[in-house]
Amino acid sequence: MIKGMLIHQHQLVDENMSNLTSASGEASVSSNHQSSFASPNPNPPKKKRNLPGNPDPDAEVIALSPKTLMATNRFACEICNKGFQRDQNLQLHRRGHNLPWKLKQRSSKEVRKKVYVCPEATCVHHEPSRALGDLTGIKKHFSRKHGEKKWKCDKCSKKYAVQSDWKAHSKICGTREYRCDCGTLFSRRDSFITHRAFCDALAEESARAMAANPFANHLFSQPTASCETSTMQVQSTILRSQFPHMMRANEANTSIVSGHGMQGELSPDREHQPRQFDMRSNIPPWLACQGPITTSLNHLDLPSSSSSVYSVRLQQEYSRENPPVHRPPIPPAFQPSASSPHMSATALLQKAAEMGATMSRPKHLGLTAAHATSSAVPPNNTASFALGLSSHQEMGNGTGGGDASGGRGGGVIGGFAQESSPPPLLLHDMVTPSLSSTPGFDGPFEDAFRGMLESKGEESNSSMGGFARSHRMVEEGGGGSGGNDGMTRDFLGLKPFPQRDILDLTGFDPCLSSPSYAQHRQSKKPCHGQLLPEM
Amino acid sequence: MMQFTRSAPPLTSIHPNGLGLCLDDDASKHSLHRSWPWPWSGLLTSSKSLGRLNTASCMEQLLVHCANAIESNDATLAQQILWVLNNIAPPDGDSNQRLTSAFLRALIARASKTGSCKMLTAVAARADADLALHLHRFSAIDLASFIDLTPWHRFGYAAANAAIVEAVEGLPVVHIIDLSTTHCMQVPTLIDLLANRPEGPPFIRLTVPTFTTTATPPMLDMSYDELGSRLVNFARSRNVAMEFIMIPSDPSDAFDSLIEHLRVQRLVSEGEAVIVNCQMLLHYIPEETVGAIVSTMNVNSPIPSLRTMFLKALRSLEPTLVTLVDEDADFTACDVVGRLRSAFNYLWIPYDAVDTFLPKGSEQRRWYEAGLCWKIENVIAQEGLQRVERQEPKGRWGQRMRAAGFRSVGFTEEAAREVNSMLGEHAAGWGSKREDEDLMLTWKGHNVVFASAWMPS
């Protein structure tokens, strides 16, 4: 025992016990230096009244005897002999007998913090520094650790010393069981879900679904670890996540082959569409696919051999172009209900174009010339298209900025087309089959981009806005096709601009006075490829 | 550097039978003139009395004295105390003993780094060999079941998930930046919650850093490629569209490259709700005390810490929500004795808790305690940039967040209920309480892990 601490013997404590309310589950005050729940002002550093390891000298350490801890119903009514654990309860009961009763009021002065130690000498909690903050806690601890396990579960063999533990267990024993396909059982849903996400059983199930569905061939192939694989995998990753309804490995239905079949499967889900549509109405139209699922499904009747969902998608995108019929945009989850390769390229390029729209020179919009000169492109070429918001990342690595940005190991799962494969060339080919020239937009584009970024991050909201605008860009772009590849390459093989600009742009304080941090930044820059490579 | 006194006792002076230490005269004279009390000099005369040392506070005192001896290059005293500790704290004893044993090894490692004592180096080498299986590499499935053994991690996951789901209510595109030490183990339950939204799931973009230099337990035996593809697959199976992005970035430079990436991402994609989920990871970012050690030149100008910069950078991303979960302890003291006290009075908790859920001799228990040993060794034996375990208490993180321009938003009653029901499925000693606006996980009433939620102010 540590001397110098006030230690009450149990006679005194009886009184204290009766005054205490049940504290289990409520905020319990620890005797360590970190008790703070009553602090009124969180800002100033808490006054450390004691060093770690030394119990709060102001806390009253109470050592109850085993008998006291295990005692129940120590207060008995003299009339009917009913037992109560607390004096307060007995007093209230006495009222019923019309006996004189008296409730002890909580004293108005500050109540001293009380902590309890376990009477068992070998126990960890025997020491004041490990005392427990509430009475119920120490009672339960003593029972659990040093007491006899009197309560036994009916269904399983578990035994408990504390009745509430036993009750809590009985409630859940055998009631909820989550079973994973691999055979493991869980009583907790969160454990089950976490397990399932990484379980091979899920992977196998999707593999089975893939095998059953030829369209899904490319979708669910697990990407190799290497980042240098083709962009197909990039797309496959995005796609895989974007075709949940179509490609879901439905337990009930794994034989998804024909478009109709899928359509059938999907119909119940279509009622969700309107809701999701509303939800997603604030998504830029270029991002949302157009065309109801039925349309997209119709296009699924494709020769299956090498038809990836991409080709499906591309065809659908294409059809989107033609009619001015309004179709509800499909949420990004269904994004690829597009038609031609050009369309998806266009979607991509439009995005770039829109970004460019915020820049001073719209000439680069020649990117979308592809659309004007659209021709049937064999599905294979669609391999080069990445979609959506990571487009810039993927493309950037192909050429130009390849050296600096090539170092970037990250990126969309499945790997980027890194320096080894030439997707931008494919894009180039598709976009402007007739062109073969070298980038001619170094200067203007880069300046434009720089201009945009340097304008303190003022992004034009309109960049994401009108599809009509995109159309305009498309038309304009026809003439500027010479800049296409220049655009694609240069946009992503950006000429780097000084780090400082980025910092200013985003309001980040460069903290030049910090050599270590600055060094970190500068020394690290060349190592991991940046989207915007440094000079 | 530890130096032997001229007549320093070699190994032979320490008898294994516990019956007094035969020191030769000079050494004994030297050892008797201690500037701090040496209360056990009398106790060591008989092996029976060693039993009286077998309490947590005595062990702590011994460890403190040992640390002081090491710091002052007193090889003699250090060896003596180490011998005593070794006898009273076997690595397979009760929870206090195992805790002390871990600290013992850490002190030995520290001494061997700073000293030229051959004995210590030999012992340290042996200890290192034992701990070579330290960083067990978990498969994803094993890790999933491992982190669910206690609420240590699950508490933060549950609180953060509840706050995230509420914050992105109605939003169609959610970009989650997952900064955690447990390799996306939180993500499946988050996907599940978002998949069950009444308005339908959002599109999820998940960005994670892949560390380049820092390596902390638990270690994963799977590439992040594979991990991500499984997550995307799982999302798909729940009808959730998801994109997984890995960015090589390390806490040692405050995730510089990740921040850069996010900045550009922000320029490119509007309308996405950015959620930064920090689970026990931010304390690996170096802070002011590291700066003080690393660059002693700029004494006058205040060295902005990487933590401050990082939080400011986060703020500049205009996130919808930042969840900050970390261990409520202070391991930032510059002196090893201060850290030792803090660590000893915090890390007894996991040692105490493990008895309730893992039997002795189980493999998982070995991994669990090995992870704790790693932590202790890092706090005690490492310095400078190698010492990555730099936990700060909740109050200080709160100050940092407010200084960076965030305000605390707290957790709803429902979130607290979720957390409590999760805790109800664990051993009885775990509890949860509200502290200011935050939630605090407790073990037998002592603070363990805090969870806080922040929005730009």
Side-chain angles (χ1 to χ4, degrees):
Chain A
M1 287 294 194
I2 291 186
K3 295 184 187 160
M5 305 288 314
L6 291 177
I7 298 177
H8 291 240
Q9 294 310 305
H10 79 265
Q11 299 98 316
L12 287 173
V13 170
D14 285 355
E15 259 182 16
N16 296 330
M17 271 176 66
S18 61
N19 270 341
L20 290 164
T21 54
S22 163
S24 151
E26 287 176 7
S28 50
V29 178
S30 92
S31 62
N32 274 351
H33 56 283
Q34 304 207 3
S35 63
S36 66
F37 68 101
S39 77
N41 183 357
N43 278 343
K46 290 192 285 262
K47 256 191 303 179
K48 272 199 172 183
R49 289 147 75 207
N50 42 278
L51 291 174
N54 299 340
D56 176 3
D58 285 359
E60 198 178 327
V61 180
I62 300 176
L64 304 173
S65 75
K67 187 156 152 275
T68 315
L69 286 178
M70 297 292 283
T72 54
N73 300 344
R74 301 182 58 252
F75 302 91
C77 173
E78 60 215 34
I79 310 256
C80 59
N81 257 336
K82 193 161 152 95
F84 297 92
Q85 294 209 29
R86 291 189 198 89
D87 185 56
Q88 303 262 41
N89 298 353
L90 170 64
Q91 296 302 322
L92 288 169
H93 166 82
R94 281 164 63 105
R95 283 195 300 186
H97 292 306
N98 292 321
L99 287 170
W101 56 277
K102 186 188 81 156
L103 284 177
K104 288 185 181 151
Q105 298 296 331
R106 233 186 135 85
S107 62
S108 53
K109 64 176 184 353
E110 275 283 315
V111 181
R112 266 184 75 201
K113 189 165 51 180
K114 294 184 165 80
V115 295
Y116 303 88
V117 291
C118 180
E120 179 61 38
T122 61
C123 182
V124 160
H125 293 290
H126 188 57
E127 281 202 58
S129 66
R130 299 283 176 78
L132 302 183
D134 68 277
L135 177 64
T136 314
I138 194 72
K139 285 167 85 172
K140 283 192 172 170
H141 155 78
F142 185 75
S143 289
R144 281 184 200 118
K145 211 56 189 298
H146 313 294
E148 180 201 337
K149 291 185 163 48
K150 297 184 289 194
W151 303 92
K152 185 188 165 309
C153 174
D154 301 328
K155 299 165 213 163
C156 68
S157 59
K158 283 199 175 167
K159 288 186 165 186
Y160 296 90
V162 179
Q163 187 184 17
S164 55
D165 292 346
W166 169 78
K167 267 198 204 157
H169 167 82
S170 305
K171 265 199 281 188
I172 61 167
C173 185
T175 50
R176 277 179 313 176
E177 274 181 358
Y178 301 92
R179 177 188 289 273
C180 177
D181 289 342
C182 68
T184 323
L185 282 175
F186 301 89
S187 62
R188 287 167 46 200
R189 186 161 191 271
D190 48 9
S191 311
F192 167 62
I193 288 184
T194 311
H195 166 93
R196 182 154 176 78
F198 299 111
C199 186
D200 292 335
L202 183 67
E204 280 160 18
E205 192 181 312
S206 344
R208 275 199 302 275
M210 270 195 276
N213 180 359
F215 302 122
N217 270 345
H218 298 270
L219 276 189
F220 298 113
S221 54
Q222 298 292 329
T224 61
S226 150
C227 285
E228 278 95 22
T229 50
S230 75
T231 43
M232 267 302 285
Q233 302 206 331
V234 176
Q235 301 153 333
S236 72
T237 306
I238 298 180
L239 268 197
R240 118 177 31 160
S241 64
Q242 292 170 339
F243 277 101
H245 280 73
M246 292 202 259
M247 301 307 162
R248 174 173 28 163
N250 206 338
E251 299 81 335
N253 175 11
T254 54
S255 59
I256 304 170
V257 178
S258 73
H260 296 292
M262 290 180 72
Q263 184 173 359
E265 182 202 349
L266 283 167
S267 40
D269 296 308
R270 289 185 54 219
E271 63 206 14
H272 295 304
Q273 290 315 305
R275 247 195 343 232
Q276 287 179 326
F277 167 61
D278 291 336
M279 261 282 306
R280 286 161 170 81
S281 55
N282 53 349
I283 286 183
W286 64 264
L287 185 58
C289 272
Q290 294 180 352
I293 296 183
T294 41
T295 311
S296 59
L297 289 173
N298 288 336
H299 287 280
L300 284 174
D301 294 336
L302 296 171
S304 66
S305 57
S306 65
S307 65
S308 64
V309 179
Y310 265 101
S311 20
V312 167
R313 199 173 119 243
L314 298 169
Q315 298 217 347
Q316 289 161 348
E317 277 183 326
Y318 194 64
S319 72
R320 160 195 180 196
E321 272 277 304
N322 305 332
V325 171
H326 171 73
R327 297 171 194 155
I330 292 181
F334 298 98
Q335 178 169 348
S337 65
S339 53
S340 73
H342 298 284
M343 208 51 197
S344 65
T346 310
L348 169 65
L349 298 172
Q350 272 169 2
K351 179 188 141 69
E354 278 152 6
M355 276 194 64
T358 66
M359 306 176 202
S360 42
R361 329 259 181 117
K363 267 201 201 146
H364 59 273
L365 298 172
L367 275 174
T368 53
H371 184 64
T373 63
S374 73
S375 50
V377 176
N380 291 337
N381 277 2
T382 69
S384 59
F385 289 104
L387 290 181
L389 308 175
S390 58
S391 58
H392 54 279
Q393 294 170 346
E394 174 193 354
M395 291 180 62
N397 291 333
T399 53
D403 52 338
S405 52
R408 155 167 271 164
V412 176
I413 188 182
F416 284 145
Q418 298 274 0
E419 41 286 357
S420 52
S421 53
L425 288 180
L426 281 176
L427 172 63
H428 165 211
D429 287 341
M430 287 191 45
V431 167
T432 52
S434 54
L435 299 171
S436 58
S437 58
T438 51
F441 273 112
D442 262 309
F445 180 80
E446 175 227 342
D447 288 345
F449 191 74
R450 183 193 282 258
M452 170 185 109
L453 287 172
E454 282 182 351
S455 60
K456 292 296 179 185
E458 126 217 333
E459 299 132 304
S460 94
N461 292 334
S462 58
S463 70
M464 300 309 222
F467 185 67
R469 193 137 144 262
S470 313
H471 266 298
R472 213 184 50 241
M473 292 178 196
V474 169
E475 282 142 26
E476 274 182 32
S481 57
N484 276 348
D485 35 339
M487 208 46 231
T488 51
R489 271 195 269 277
D490 283 354
F491 171 58
L492 297 154
L494 288 171
K495 206 151 162 215
F497 56 92
Q499 167 186 353
R500 185 141 195 140
D501 291 340
I502 295 186
L503 297 177
D504 290 345
L505 175 69
T506 52
F508 185 71
D509 181 13
C511 288
L512 292 173
S513 63
S514 160
S516 56
Y517 191 63
Q519 274 158 24
H520 276 139
R521 294 178 67 87
Q522 279 152 28
S523 62
K524 294 280 181 178
K525 283 284 184 208
C527 297
H528 24 69
Q530 299 276 336
L531 178 63
L532 305 167
E534 284 272 86
M535 287 197 236
Chain B
M1 288 276 288
M2 295 178 78
Q3 294 167 5
F4 287 94
T5 57
R6 255 172 298 118
S7 53
L11 286 159
T12 54
S13 71
I14 299 178
H15 294 281
N17 59 8
L19 299 177
L21 300 171
C22 279
L23 309 173
D24 57 10
D25 285 349
D26 280 2
S28 63
K29 258 188 266 177
H30 184 59
S31 63
L32 284 172
H33 292 99
R34 288 278 89 80
S35 55
W36 48 82
W38 194 6
W40 59 87
S41 50
L43 294 177
L44 287 174
T45 52
S46 82
S47 54
K48 260 190 280 178
S49 58
L50 283 178
R52 291 203 274 168
L53 299 174
N54 200 356
T55 62
S57 58
C58 271
M59 291 191 198
E60 186 190 341
Q61 293 299 316
L62 281 170
L63 288 169
V64 164
H65 286 305
C66 187
N68 277 321
I70 292 172
E71 292 302 286
S72 53
N73 292 330
D74 191 336
T76 316
L77 180 58
Q79 287 175 38
Q80 290 161 7
I81 305 178
L82 288 170
W83 176 83
V84 171
L85 281 169
N86 197 29
N87 274 277
I88 64 174
D92 56 354
D94 71 20
S95 64
N96 272 339
Q97 288 171 322
R98 296 195 314 274
L99 171 72
T100 305
S101 174
F103 273 85
L104 174 62
R105 290 158 102 157
L107 283 173
I108 291 173
R110 186 182 180 88
S112 69
K113 279 183 203 299
T114 58
S116 64
C117 172
K118 276 192 201 141
M119 178 202 90
L120 286 177
T121 311
V123 172
R126 227 183 10 246
D128 272 349
D130 288 343
L131 296 178
L133 9 130
H134 243 170
L135 297 182
H136 170 83
R137 300 191 85 93
F138 291 85
S139 71
I141 294 291
D142 284 347
L143 185 61
S145 71
F146 187 73
I147 52 109
D148 269 337
L149 293 171
T150 66
W152 199 282
H153 295 284
R154 187 56 75 185
F155 167 81
Y157 296 171
N161 282 350
I164 291 172
V165 170
E166 201 201 327
V168 303
E169 202 176 310
L171 303 180
V173 180
V174 176
H175 184 177
I176 299 166
I177 295 123
D178 191 39
L179 302 176
S180 96
T181 54
T182 48
H183 314 290
C184 303
M185 286 293 132
Q186 177 183 351
V187 175
T189 40
L190 182 56
I191 291 174
D192 179 64
L193 282 173
L194 290 172
N196 293 337
R197 281 201 316 187
E199 67 265 33
F203 174 81
I204 300 179
R205 174 169 293 118
L206 177 66
T207 301
V208 301
T210 53
F211 295 175
T212 52
T213 50
T214 307
T216 69
M219 302 290 285
L220 186 69
D221 185 27
M222 181 188 276
S223 71
Y224 265 42
D225 269 316
E226 175 72 16
L227 189 78
S229 91
R230 291 199 184 214
L231 285 173
V232 171
N233 205 24
F234 172 73
R236 182 194 49 76
S237 78
R238 306 302 311 275
N239 287 346
V240 179
M242 189 168 111
E243 183 188 4
F244 181 84
I245 302 171
M246 304 175 288
I247 304 293
S249 193
D250 203 85
S252 56
D253 66 356
F255 298 108
D256 181 32
S257 48
L258 175 67
I259 295 284
E260 285 298 319
H261 164 83
L262 291 171
R263 288 211 178 113
V264 177
Q265 176 77 20
R266 233 189 101 233
L267 296 176
V268 166
S269 21
E270 295 207 24
E272 68 175 24
V274 173
I275 307 285
V276 185
N277 178 49
C278 308
Q279 300 272 345
M280 322 272 203
L281 191 53
L282 295 197
H283 72 249
Y284 291 106
I285 301 177
E287 38 71 69
E288 288 84 358
T289 62
V290 178
I293 293 169
V294 166
S295 59
T296 48
M297 300 193 309
N298 296 5
V299 180
N300 293 329
S301 64
I303 301 168
S305 81
L306 293 182
R307 266 176 215 193
T308 310
M309 293 179 161
F310 176 75
L311 294 178
K312 289 206 166 113
L314 279 193
R315 177 65 181 82
S316 72
L317 298 174
E318 305 282 343
T320 306
L321 183 77
V322 176
T323 53
L324 205 168
V325 172
D326 219 308
E327 293 160 349
D328 192 25
D330 187 351
F331 294 171
T332 56
C334 286
D335 64 313
V336 68
V337 171
R339 293 201 303 275
L340 194 152
R341 284 193 198 276
S342 279
F344 194 82
N345 283 284
Y346 178 75
L347 292 171
W348 70 269
I349 294 174
Y351 278 98
D352 193 41
V354 74
D355 283 327
T356 63
F357 64 91
L358 282 177
K360 277 195 183 189
S362 89
E363 207 178 24
Q364 280 179 318
R365 177 140 148 165
R366 266 194 302 115
W367 299 335
Y368 182 92
E369 296 197 352
L372 293 174
C373 279
W374 189 95
K375 244 179 152 83
I376 294 171
E377 199 255 355
N378 191 268
V379 173
I380 300 296
Q382 305 287 346
E383 289 294 347
L385 290 170
Q386 276 72 43
R387 175 156 58 90
V388 293
E389 298 279 352
R390 292 177 184 266
Q391 281 80 337
E392 283 183 322
K394 179 187 82 108
R396 234 187 291 162
W397 278 112
Q399 286 172 348
R400 288 188 186 276
M401 291 297 280
R402 278 181 284 271
F406 289 97
R407 62 181 171 88
S408 175
V409 295
F411 296 89
T412 59
E413 273 309 308
E414 197 184 315
R417 269 198 308 270
E418 275 297 314
V419 166
N420 282 329
S421 83
M422 181 271 299
L423 290 180
E425 289 166 338
H426 279 105
W430 295 104
S432 161
K433 64 182 184 185
R434 282 191 184 271
E435 239 189 49
D436 309 319
E437 303 246 301
D438 312 322
L439 290 177
M440 179 70 76
L441 174 70
T442 58
W443 170 253
K444 297 183 177 173
H446 295 262
N447 288 3
V448 183
V449 171
F450 70 88
S452 57
W454 305 87
M455 288 187 176
S457 63

